[in-house]
């Protein structure tokens, strides 16, 4: 039999909601006429709950959903096609607890109409072809047994063979104990399958639903390129009950929820159920290896009109005035530019290790139809924003988030655009404890060998190694009122002149303005700012930046990966020779 050869049902036991009276018929199945939400205790009419995609309309509690209904929700109508994968239904241990394992399997099949705890389909989301494997918690708690591991692996192999993105919807309590060590081996088997998709450059996305624990969390749920979660979904290796029973520790409220994990850098996006299909469609449309032809911006020709590429044509402003202009809090931020410059932008979060530094933002986007990865150092335009973004000073988790996104770009064959605007890397105690120097060094090495085009634009302050960690690029551009330096003028003055008041003198000596940097070969192109600066005309500034970036990409996208890396390394090898 295949994984869906039995008649599926769409509404098996979900997150406990107390039925109040009777039943009503929906297009999915019979549901209780009235149910009580376990979170807010409101009574909800069954039809209304069904229409609201099993989300409580009062408090937003996302109830569990069967795999079949999940696929109906995500896939474009009429596109779902079963993969027809075999299910063995083996009992490798002859396991018996209160009843034999085969009896438990039989009961689960009768209750759900499924052969196993995962259903695999070929389909499309917002017109984008995809292979989907959706787990069903109603089938023995979505536990990971041999058949589940085999189905996930075969779905991944199908994605590999057909070069289609793989979407895995997770819902599991952990390993299937009745299969012992055979169940344990499925973690390695499925992880290996995702590793092969990494090697082949095939996009993988996990949609985490509540709950996702144990062997599933510690394998394919957290190995995907992009991790999306429903609000309130819990994800972790050990569940609260296991933790309490093992080490007698009670978890705090909200621990292991999607919101907690996003804050701690483990997942990219928390998205309500109603917005999942559009979000997944955008991610799938961007995460392709083949650039979409734009409007002719990549035709051979001269650099973007108005840009300056020779030192003789560069303006010679007062260095200290330029420093103050570069620091103007009214200048557009990285997110301001991304919104104005890109056709589509989906922000991704987290370093997958410890946190989500708010001073570095990034994600997937399209520029004139070209799919790409974008990363920027983010300040703010108000005191509250500056505080929230740590004044644009990244922590180690920020640089590691940037590194994760750049590795994703390399995997998918997408160019990278970085926007630099920082006074420097954060110098605090926590940053040092978390390896600030190591994180910066790792980025420098990674960027030097990244086999895709990299274009950097210094849009404001280019502060020391904290800026360079995003600027080892094939082309380095700079806005005409931006600066780029080994140290701040104040820091230089305090060290060498023993007087911070000598900052204007230090600014002149450091040769940190755009024209001086162009003459030194540090930057390749100057992007003229609008009259009065970027703050007064952000749309025009963004338009000029967009044209300049497209001009820089013109030659690079035609090069093979080896030549891209060779040229970048030669560029930086030449400094100081």
């Amino acid at each position: 039999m295949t994984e869906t050869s039995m008649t599926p049902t769409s509404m098996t036991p979900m997150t406990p909601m107390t039925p109040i009276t009777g039943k009503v018929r929906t297009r999915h199945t019979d549901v209780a006429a009235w149910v009580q939400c376990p979170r807010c205790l409101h009574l909800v009419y069954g039809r209304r709950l069904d229409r609201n995609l099993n989300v409580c309309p009062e408090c937003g509690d996302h109830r569990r959903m069967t795999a079949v209904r999940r696929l109906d929700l995500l896939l474009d109508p009429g596109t779902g096609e079963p993969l027809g994968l075999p299910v063995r239904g083996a009992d490798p241990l002859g396991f018996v607890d209160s009843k034999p394992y085969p009896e438990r399997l039989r009961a689960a099949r009768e209750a759900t109409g499924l052969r196993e705890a995962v259903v695999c389909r070929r389909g499309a989301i917002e017109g984008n072809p995809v292979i989907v494997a959706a787990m069903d918690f109603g089938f023995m708690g979505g536990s990971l047994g041999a058949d589940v591991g085999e189905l996930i692996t075969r779905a991944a192999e199908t994605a590999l063979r057909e070069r289609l993105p793989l979407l895995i919807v997770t819902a599991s309590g952990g390993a299937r104990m009745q299969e012992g060590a055979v169940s344990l081996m499925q973690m390695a088997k499925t992880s290996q399958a995702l590793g092969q998709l990494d090697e082949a450059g095939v996009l993988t996305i996990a949609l985490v639903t509540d709950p996702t624990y144990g062997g599933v969390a510690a394998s394919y749920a957290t190995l995907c390129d992009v991790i999306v979660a429903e609000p309130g979904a819990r994800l972790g290796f050990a569940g609260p009950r296991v933790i309490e029973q093992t080490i007698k520790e009670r978890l705090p409220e909200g621990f292991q929820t999607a919101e907690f994990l996003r804050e701690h850098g483990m997942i990219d996006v928390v998205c309500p159920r109603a917005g999942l299909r559009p979000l997944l469609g955008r991610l799938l449309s961007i995460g392709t290896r083949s650039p979409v032809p734009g409007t002719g911006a990549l035709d051979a020709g001269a650099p973007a009109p108005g840009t300056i590429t020779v030192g003789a044509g560069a303006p010679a402003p007062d260095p200290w005035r330029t420093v103050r202009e570069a620091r103007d809090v009214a200048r557009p931020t990285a997110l301001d530019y991304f919104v104005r410059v890109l056709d589509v932008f989906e922000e991704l979060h987290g370093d997958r290790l410890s946190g989500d530094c708010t001073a570095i933002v990034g994600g997937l986007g399209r520029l004139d139809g070209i799919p790409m990865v974008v990363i920027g150092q983010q300040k703010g335009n108000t005191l509250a924003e500056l505080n929230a973004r740590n004044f644009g000073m990244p922590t180690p988790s920020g640089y590691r988030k940037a590194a994760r996104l750049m590795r994703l770009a390399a995997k998918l064959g997408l160019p990278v655009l970085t926007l630099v605007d920082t006074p420097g890397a954060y110098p605090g105690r926590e940053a040092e404890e978390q390896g600030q120097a190591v994180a910066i060094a790792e980025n420098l090495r990674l960027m030097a060998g990244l086999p895709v085009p990299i274009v950097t634009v210094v849009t404001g302050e280019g502060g020391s190694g904290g800026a360079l960690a995003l600027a080892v690029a094939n082309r380095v551009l700079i806005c005409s009122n931006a600066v780029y330096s080994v140290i701040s003028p104040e820091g230089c003055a305090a060290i060498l002149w023993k007087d911070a008041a000598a900052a204007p003198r230090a600014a002149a000596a450091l040769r940190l303005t755009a024209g001086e940097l162009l003459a030194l070969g540090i930057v390749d192109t100057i992007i003229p700012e609008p009259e009065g600066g970027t703050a007064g005309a952000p749309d025009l500034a963004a338009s000029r930046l967009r044209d300049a970036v497209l001009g820089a990409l013109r030659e690079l996208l035609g090069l093979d990966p080896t030549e891209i890396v060779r040229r970048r390394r030669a560029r930086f090898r030449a400094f100081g020779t």
Side-chain angles (χ1 to χ4, degrees), residues 486-499:
V486 68
I487 192 171
S488 70
E490 295 89 341
C492 179
I495 293 171
L496 299 183
W497 279 272
K498 314 299 183 187
D499 182 5

Side-chain angles (χ1 to χ4, degrees), residues 212-535:
T212 298
Y213 281 119
V216 171
S219 57
Y220 51 87
T222 50
L223 287 179
C224 290
D225 299 316
V226 180
I227 302 177
V228 179
E230 289 190 327
R234 292 164 294 168
L235 170 71
F237 182 59
R241 185 169 58 182
V242 173
I243 292 173
E244 186 171 355
Q245 290 177 350
T246 304
I247 62 173
K248 310 305 179 186
E249 180 180 353
R250 292 186 64 86
L251 300 180
E253 186 71 23
F255 192 79
Q256 294 181 322
T257 62
E259 294 76 10
F260 174 91
L261 294 168
R262 183 190 175 283
E263 181 182 344
H264 287 79
M266 303 301 173
I267 65 175
D268 289 290
V269 182
V270 179
C271 180
R273 190 169 287 166
L276 285 173
R277 185 191 286 180
L279 170 65
L280 294 171
R282 291 191 297 272
L283 291 171
L284 291 168
S285 73
I286 298 169
T288 172
R289 296 183 66 88
S290 302
V292 175
T295 57
L298 299 182
D299 295 339
T307 57
I308 301 168
T309 57
V310 293
D318 172 70
W320 182 239
R321 182 181 64 78
T322 304
V323 170
R324 289 180 291 173
E325 173 64 28
R327 293 172 176 173
D328 184 357
V329 296
R331 291 175 73 86
T333 66
L335 288 175
D336 292 333
Y337 279 121
F338 292 157
V339 170
R340 287 178 166 87
V341 167
L342 299 173
D343 313 327
V344 180
F345 172 59
E346 286 299 331
E347 186 174 358
L348 304 180
H349 294 270
D351 65 352
R352 294 286 199 275
L353 292 173
S354 61
D356 181 40
C357 173
T358 56
I360 286 186
V361 296
L364 294 169
R366 282 190 181 273
L367 174 62
D368 196 33
I370 306 166
M372 63 194 325
V373 167
V374 295
I375 304 165
Q377 288 161 329
Q378 177 72 10
K379 288 185 177 177
N381 301 127
T382 66
L383 182 58
E385 291 174 353
L386 287 166
N387 275 310
R389 300 287 180 176
N390 205 29
F391 289 80
M393 294 185 289
T395 61
S397 68
Y399 291 115
R400 290 174 180 133
K401 172 167 64 173
R404 180 176 76 86
L405 293 175
M406 286 187 279
R407 291 189 184 98
L408 176 59
K411 169 183 170 175
L412 300 177
L414 305 181
V416 175
L417 169 64
T418 66
L419 302 184
V420 169
D421 184 16
T422 181
Y426 183 64
R429 171 182 169 180
E430 288 185 2
E432 291 300 314
E433 290 175 343
Q434 295 165 11
Q436 184 72 285
V438 174
I440 292 172
E442 295 268 359
N443 271 25
L444 300 179
R445 179 173 61 184
L446 173 65
M447 295 186 80
L450 207 70
V452 293
I454 305 176
V455 175
T456 292
V457 183
V458 183
T459 61
E461 281 187 281
S464 191
L468 182 62
L470 291 189
V472 182
N474 293 90
R475 295 287 183 271
V476 180
L477 289 58
I478 189 169
C479 295
S480 56
N481 288 326
V483 296
Y484 194 7
S485 176
V486 68
I487 192 171
S488 70
E490 295 89 341
C492 179
I495 293 171
L496 299 183
W497 279 272
K498 314 299 183 187
D499 182 5
R505 183 178 174 186
L510 287 168
R511 298 183 63 182
L512 44 63
T513 64
E516 293 167 316
L517 293 164
L518 183 63
L520 289 169
I522 304 298
V523 302
D524 304 295
T525 303
I526 298 174
I527 307 173
E529 297 186 15
E531 189 70 27
T534 60

